[in-house]
């Protein structure tokens, strides 16, 4: 179990059932990536999962849920789950649409890589050192 932020609960509870299910799965995966990960709200309403920097965030859209992965493009994506933001210098996106399954194993692997990068000083410092 992990400590839940009631503001994140409120965000998720206000969504349609199919989006609630996706968000709950991603929330559980984020916490499974590292037991020290914390959740909060940023940008007035958006759930973020942080550990020595941003790890990921949730944003429910009309027909999908975006999982923003804050890694500066460093964490590998061998399973091809990144759906947008390939050229973004801050975050990439995994979009999960209604009726799709959360790519749990691949997302957990990706989140663990982001946590490891954060623990190593964060993607900005890693890039500045020239470490891929």
């Amino acid at each position: 179990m992990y400590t839940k932020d009631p503001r994140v609960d409120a965000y998720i509870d206000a969504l349609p059932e199919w989006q609630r299910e996706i968000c709950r799965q991603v929330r559980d995966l984020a916490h499974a990536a590292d037991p020290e990960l914390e959740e909060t709200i940023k940008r007035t309403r958006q759930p973020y999962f942080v550990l020595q920097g941003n790890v990921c965030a949730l944003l429910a859209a009309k027909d999908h849920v975006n999982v923003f992965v804050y890694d500066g493009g460093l964490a590998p994506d061998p399973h091809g789950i990144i759906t947008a933001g390939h050229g973004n210098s801050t975050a990439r996106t995994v979009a999960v649409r209604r009726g799709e399954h959360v790519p749990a194993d691949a997302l957990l692997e990706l989140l663990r890589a982001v946590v490891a990068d954060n623990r190593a000083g964060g993607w900005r410092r890693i890039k500045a050192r020239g470490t891929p």
Side-chain angles (χ1 to χ4, degrees), residues 57 59 64-71 77 80-86 88 90-96 107 110:
L59 180 62
H64 64 283
V65 173
N66 280 320
V67 181
F68 294 100
V69 180
Y70 290 90
D71 66 350
D77 181 27
I81 64 170
I82 299 295
T83 57
H86 293 90
N88 189 308
T90 303
R92 298 178 290 168
T93 305
V94 176
V96 182
L107 184 57
L110 183 59

Side-chain angles (χ1 to χ4, degrees), residues 48-63:
Y48 273 73
F49 302 90
V50 298
L51 180 62
Q52 297 180 8
N54 293 333
V55 175
C56 68
L58 296 171
L59 180 62
K62 184 177 180 178
D63 65 346

